[in-house]
Each structure stands twice: as structure tokens, then as C-alpha cells.
Amino acid sequence: MFLNLAVITGLVSCCLSATYDKPDDVPNIDWDFIIVGGGTAGSVLANRLSENSQFNVLVLEAGPTNRKVTDSIVPGLEGELANTLYDWNYTTIPQRGLNNRSLTLRRGHILGGSSSINGMIYTRGSSSDYNRFAEYSGDPGWGWDNIQQYLRKHEKFEDPVDNHNTTGQYDPAIHSTTGRVPVTLPGFSFPQVDRLAIQASEQLGGDFQYNEDMNSGTPLGLGWVQYTIGHDGTRSSAATAYLDDKARARKNLHIVTNSRVTRVLPDPNTKALTIRTVEVRVSETSNPVKFTASKEVILSGGTIGTPFILMHSGIANADKLRESGIKPLLDNRSVGRNLSDHFFFEVSFNVVPNSLDLGHWGNLSGDPALRAEALQIWNKNRTGPYVEPVPYAHLAWTRLANNITEKFGDPSSGPNSAHLEFRMGAVSPTAYDVIAVVVSPVSRKSTSNYPWITIMMLGAPGGTLAIGSNNPFDEPMIDPGFYTSDFDLVAAREALRSAFTFASAPVFQNVITGVAVPFTNATTDSEIDNILRNITGTGLHPIGTASMSPQGANWGVVDPDLTVKNVTGLRIVDASVMPFVPCAHPQVATYVIAERAADLIRSAWKRT
């Protein structure tokens, strides 16, 4: 469902002169930087590097432009972009820990990348997440104190669209109002559900104690969710925020969509491995087009796309490359390793009839007429339930008990960092139906409403990405490795028990009557484990496949400045460089990485 909404004509106005939809149209220019991927990180780099009028910047994006995709900017239509040409439509290999199920892995195939199709949740993670990046890489510049400047550069906190009183819902002192990406609090919610969540927090305390602002660096507790949505009720993506009309009007910035980089190519005239050329194809049968940068090629293809390009270029495990019919350029056995992702499942609860007053919009997910009405209201004045992707207003971040982490190890970055994320709501989260089996089929019924809790887990790293052929148009083999460590299932069981604890708060005594299927009659660990294996999905937060490591280390893919180890002219800037998945939805960390990378790049070339 892609809509021609007259009210947003200005937002979807046609491309400016420096934007092309095929590589053959690109003028013959001496490019300083070629950015492979116009996603979350690539859009930031395109803007920041082209601020210097002396730099000619070329962006090569595999997907189409965002300018004509109206569904992308309507928060309530977030789920409409799945399984379309705006989604890479990746599928994992069968997961042995999930009873051999394969999972759909939604990633943005559009200018703005996954920031143009994601769930828009704005979470920074813990201070210790970034301090761990710094300690692991040996570069204090990745630490919490230093990245504050980049949080300020990218964030533009605004009032919610409904202009409600936000006192006590966030801490203005830790937010920026001068950056590029609009961020705000929920502009629509269900008041009774909000009150229940806050009262449960007050009654339970402990793991669910109230946290005024989970983006302070200490996210633990229950608080109000923040979104990459502006005061105007529209999605804030990297494309809308960094590739606006002003940026696109720069004569030194050129953006090419529908142009897939299949390989990066070595310079045959240098003794040391130097890469500043890319090969682009618009289809499997098209002739390749080559572009060369005088300074750097920057891979911003994301956690899946970047290692995929490296492998097809001959940079990965040499033995594996030969098996796929690819001549190795550089034997780096860390490429495609360390894939980490959050995994999630949902639990629903049966309720006393008529105990939840969700008003007119209570059956939004099950009633096409209500959805049409919500879209009409959004189209008219940017209000109503479609100013949010899913109408829930609270998250909770909690830790597992010490006896679990002492026995199985602690994958988190420190005591102020969470193992679990809980999202609370009272309508079916249909936006996520595309990526996993929803816990309770009854939550989809159009005649009743069920409170539900989505549980996101910080899993132990250990996934991989691989290729099976030398054809760059074949699908990558993605293996997140869910439930393959002893920690994962134990942690998932404890998360389920925590959800039951939250639902047992006194405030729910006359609301919740018990857990809904499929957990209704599950009593033993083995019964619970089997259910979890059947319903767990991906949190859509993959990172780590081109991880940074200390300068000179013989492991990792990039140095702390994000240049590729043992290669001249090639840098990686995207979520793949994170060595650990943060206790957050990783889009904020990706923005931070890109903002700092822009400074590192400008500084490097200022000295030459």
C-alpha cells in the first residue's frame, strides 16, 4: 500500500539535479570519497563530508530513493514496508536453536537504509556500552564522555505532536535540541494503559523502578519510550535528516540510487594492497560500471552488506573464499564473524472483560476501517494513532540475577547495562508479525484486546555471515545462532518469569486473569524451552561482522579509526564495526559512529 498523499507533496518532491537513478548517468568527476550505501551511516557521511566544498562525494545506494515512498514517513505504516522492494528481504539459514526455523531479517533497501523502515525507537544504551567499545579498541574516543558531542550533533529533541505536558517523562538536560534527527516522546497513547504501567512500576520497584530518562547512560528501570519522530508526526530517518534539500543542492554531492556495489577492486599499480575503486551493477545481467576515489572508498553497506561485499572482493577467510570460487586478496578470518543480534519473543495475557478501556482505537490492528480512519487523520493534521509505529508508551530495561551471570557469564558491558528489554502495550503488535511468530494468536482477534509484553534479549555473540558462491546476487548465508549458547535459553526463561512478575503487580489484580496461549499450560523448563524455540524471532539489530579491534591487532576487521586492516584507501562506517551489541536499539550508536567517523576522515585528510 503506497499512497499518493497530497499533503506531503513537499516531502516527496522529485530528485534534485545531483541525484541519479542509474550509474550510467553519473558525470565524469574526480571523486574524493565514494560512499557505498546511503543508509543510516552513509547518509550522515554524505552530509558531513560534503560540508567541505573541496570534497567531491559520490554515494552509491542499492535501493531506490526515499523521496517517493510516502509509507516511509508515516510512523503508523512502518510495517507496510516489509517484504517490498524497499526491504532486502533477507532470510536466515535454518536455526538449529529454533527448531530449524528460518527467520526473516528485514533491512532497509532504500535511501536512509534501515532508518527509513525501522521501528523508530530511540535508545542510546548504557555508558558502559561505549566505554567497552573504547577499552576493547584501545581508543578512548569511543567512550561515553567523548561521544556526547556526537549525540548533540545528531539529536534534535522536540515536543510531541500532541503537545502534552512532558514533565517527569524525560530529562531535558541530557538531550540536544540543535542536531539533525528529530526525536520526541509518544504523541498518542492509551491513558489507562499508561497509568497501569506507571502504577505497576511504583508497586514493584526493583527491576521495574521508574527511570525518568533511559537515555541518561543508565537505562535500567521502566520509563517512557522515545522515538525518532518529529513534532510534525513524521518519521525522522537518516535520509530525511541528513539528505534534505539543502544537502542535495550541494554541487559536490552526488547520489546514485538503484546501484549495487558488487566488489571493491585493488589498484594493480601499488605493491601494498590499495583499494579505491568500486564495481557497480544494476542487475545480475548488466555490465559493470567502475568508479574510483582519489582519497577513500567508505563501505556503509550495513552488517549484512559490508562483509558480503568484502567477501566477494576477496577479503575474508582465504580458505572459505577458495571454496566459493573467489581468489583471495587478503586473508582476514574475522570478516563475517562476531554477528550479534538481539532476539525477542512476546507473551500475552487474558483480561477481565471490559476491564481495559481502550476507547475508539482499541481494535486498530484488527479493523481495516479504523486503520483507514487513522491514516485519514494523520494525512489531515498529523495526529491520531498513526503518529506512532505501535501505540505503546513504555519500555523497561532489566538485568538478570547475579547467580545466572556468575554461572553462565555476563554478556553485558557492566552493572548499569541491561540484559532484557520489555515493551508493554495493549493491542496486537502487528508491525512485527512479518519477522516472527507472534506469541499469542488470540492477540490478533478483532473482538478482544489483550495486554502483551515484547521481551528483547541481549544474547551471547556467536553468529556468522557467509557466502556460498562467487555470484554477488546470490543470497548471503546469515546465521545469528540464537539459542546455541547455554546462556540464551536460561536467560529467556528468566525473562519470561520477569514478565509474569510484572503482570502480577497489584494494579493488574482486576485486569489480568492469566497468561494466554501458548504458555497457558507450560509448567516444566522443557515445555517452556520448546515454546521459546518455536516463537523467538530476531530483534532486527544485527551488528559486528566487520568489528573494530586495537591498532595492530591480528584479529578484527578495522582499526579504531575504522580503516580496514592491512588495506590502504578503504574504510568501514556502519553497525558492522561494533564489537558488541549495545543494550539498545542500535540506530543511535550507528549515528554516533558515523558522526565521529566523519570527524576522523576530515582530520585525516586535513593533514595530507
Side-chain angles (χ1 to χ4, degrees):
M1 178 174 65
F2 297 98
L3 309 163
N4 182 14
L5 305 177
V7 71
I8 55 176
T9 299
L11 290 173
V12 296
S13 58
C14 195
C15 309
L16 299 177
S17 58
T19 303
Y20 317 91
D21 59 10
K22 57 181 184 293
D24 290 338
D25 294 338
V26 178
N28 187 15
I29 290 175
D30 180 16
W31 306 109
D32 293 284
F33 300 100
I34 296 175
I35 301 170
V36 179
T40 307
S43 296
V44 175
L45 291 174
N47 182 296
R48 295 307 188 192
L49 294 180
S50 65
E51 286 176 340
N52 184 335
S53 62
Q54 301 303 306
F55 292 157
N56 284 320
V57 180
L58 176 65
V59 180
L60 299 167
E61 166 55 39
T65 180
N66 66 304
R67 288 297 181 99
K68 301 176 183 179
V69 188
T70 55
D71 283 14
S72 177
I73 64 169
V74 184
L77 296 181
E78 172 248 342
E80 300 293 329
L81 297 172
N83 301 313
T84 68
L85 63 90
Y86 307 107
D87 178 0
W88 278 97
N89 296 312
Y90 292 128
T91 302
T92 71
I93 66 171
Q95 294 294 286
R96 61 185 177 89
L98 302 181
N99 290 336
N100 291 316
R101 290 185 300 119
S102 294
L103 305 175
T104 300
L105 183 64
R106 181 170 45 153
R107 310 310 297 152
H109 182 254
I110 182 175
L111 206 62
S114 293
S115 73
S116 290
I117 72 168
N118 66 9
M120 291 159 275
I121 292 178
Y122 181 88
T123 48
R124 297 173 178 174
S126 69
S127 59
S128 60
D129 284 334
Y130 296 89
N131 290 337
R132 179 162 63 166
F133 288 177
E135 181 179 0
Y136 183 82
S137 68
D139 180 357
W142 293 113
W144 176 253
D145 290 342
N146 192 62
I147 63 104
Q148 295 305 305
Q149 59 185 304
Y150 301 113
L151 290 171
R152 291 191 295 273
K153 286 187 74 171
H154 96 86
E155 183 195 39
K156 183 182 181 184
F157 206 96
E158 299 181 343
D159 290 333
V161 65
D162 64 357
N163 294 308
H164 73 264
N165 183 353
T166 59
T167 301
Q169 294 183 359
Y170 83 111
D171 181 0
I174 65 172
H175 291 277
S176 168
T177 59
T178 58
R180 299 197 66 92
V181 180
V183 175
T184 193
L185 291 158
F188 176 88
S189 60
F190 294 107
Q192 184 190 10
V193 177
D194 294 347
R195 288 193 299 271
L196 289 171
I198 294 298
Q199 287 178 288
S201 171
E202 293 171 347
Q203 291 171 348
L204 294 172
D207 289 342
F208 296 100
Q209 64 185 322
Y210 183 69
N211 185 335
E212 183 179 41
D213 200 315
M214 63 188 67
N215 283 321
S216 64
T218 302
L220 299 177
L222 181 146
W224 291 84
V225 67
Q226 298 170 19
Y227 288 113
T228 47
I229 296 171
H231 179 64
D232 62 356
T234 66
R235 173 196 293 272
S236 311
S237 72
T240 61
Y242 285 90
L243 299 179
D244 56 6
D245 287 348
K246 183 177 179 180
R248 293 189 188 210
R250 296 172 186 161
K251 296 181 179 180
N252 63 327
L253 175 60
H254 297 253
I255 302 168
V256 194
T257 54
N258 306 302
S259 300
R260 182 167 175 171
V261 172
T262 50
R263 294 189 298 166
V264 293
L265 303 174
D267 185 342
N269 300 313
T270 59
K271 185 175 181 180
L273 182 56
T274 301
I275 292 177
R276 291 194 173 97
T277 298
V278 301
E279 176 187 89
V280 182
R281 293 162 68 182
V282 296
S283 71
E284 188 171 355
T285 58
S286 66
N287 293 322
V289 178
K290 297 178 182 178
F291 296 101
T292 298
S294 61
K295 292 181 171 62
E296 291 185 19
V297 168
I298 305 167
L299 292 181
S300 295
T303 297
I304 308 302
T306 285
F308 192 71
I309 293 171
L310 289 175
M311 290 173 180
H312 283 284
S313 305
I315 301 174
N317 183 319
D319 295 334
K320 298 293 185 182
L321 291 174
R322 292 188 188 98
E323 291 176 6
S324 297
I326 296 173
K327 180 181 178 181
L329 277 180
L330 177 66
D331 184 15
N332 185 321
R333 302 190 173 220
S334 295
V335 173
R337 309 292 296 180
N338 194 51
L339 174 62
S340 302
D341 191 1
H342 296 132
F343 55 91
F344 91 101
F345 60 90
E346 293 163 0
V347 55
S348 300
F349 299 90
N350 296 317
V351 299
V352 175
N354 302 316
S355 63
L356 284 179
D357 180 12
L358 302 182
H360 179 71
W361 299 107
N363 192 33
L364 178 65
S365 64
D367 188 339
L370 278 181
R371 294 199 297 271
E373 182 183 352
L375 180 59
Q376 183 180 29
I377 292 171
W378 185 94
N379 189 22
K380 181 179 180 180
N381 57 23
R382 302 295 204 282
T383 61
Y386 271 7
V387 301
E388 310 296 346
V390 181
Y392 59 80
H394 295 93
L395 302 180
W397 299 91
T398 71
R399 286 183 62 79
L400 295 165
N402 289 338
N403 65 313
I404 294 177
T405 55
E406 288 170 0
K407 181 176 181 180
F408 295 98
D410 187 352
S412 78
S413 59
N416 71 332
S417 190
H419 298 117
L420 312 173
E421 176 196 1
F422 295 84
R423 308 181 207 166
M424 292 80 168
V427 288
S428 175
T430 56
Y432 290 92
D433 287 0
V434 297
I435 61 170
V437 178
V438 175
V439 164
S440 176
V442 297
S443 67
R444 291 196 179 110
K445 288 184 178 178
S446 60
T447 56
S448 302
N449 297 288
Y450 294 81
W452 51 268
I453 297 175
T454 299
I455 302 172
M456 193 82 73
M457 306 284 300
L458 176 65
T464 61
L465 181 137
I467 57 175
S469 76
N470 59 6
N471 183 352
F473 286 85
D474 285 347
E475 287 293 302
M477 296 186 294
I478 305 167
D479 181 9
F482 295 144
Y483 292 157
T484 55
S485 75
D486 292 337
F487 173 86
D488 287 355
L489 268 177
V490 172
R493 268 187 251 124
E494 290 304 307
L496 182 63
R497 293 185 179 105
S498 291
F500 293 162
T501 296
F502 184 79
S504 68
V507 70
F508 294 120
Q509 182 176 357
N510 297 317
V511 176
I512 291 176
T513 62
V515 65
V517 295
F519 291 106
T520 307
N521 298 315
T523 57
T524 68
D525 283 352
S526 68
E527 289 173 336
I528 291 172
D529 288 352
N530 192 54
I531 293 171
L532 290 170
R533 291 185 191 278
N534 284 328
I535 66 174
T536 294
T538 164
L540 302 178
H541 298 160
I543 63 94
T545 51
S547 176
M548 71 172 84
S549 65
Q551 183 84 26
N554 61 2
W555 76 92
V557 180
V558 297
D559 285 330
D561 64 357
L562 309 186
T563 55
V564 177
K565 291 177 180 292
N566 302 309
V567 181
T568 299
L570 186 62
R571 198 182 302 250
I572 298 174
V573 182
D574 57 33
S576 71
V577 304
M578 298 184 206
F580 308 96
V581 63
C583 66
H585 298 235
Q587 70 162 329
V588 176
T590 305
Y591 277 123
V592 165
I593 286 168
E595 285 280 15
R596 183 168 188 241
D599 275 0
L600 292 171
I601 294 166
R602 288 182 296 202
S603 177
W605 290 102
K606 185 177 181 180
R607 296 193 300 266
T608 59

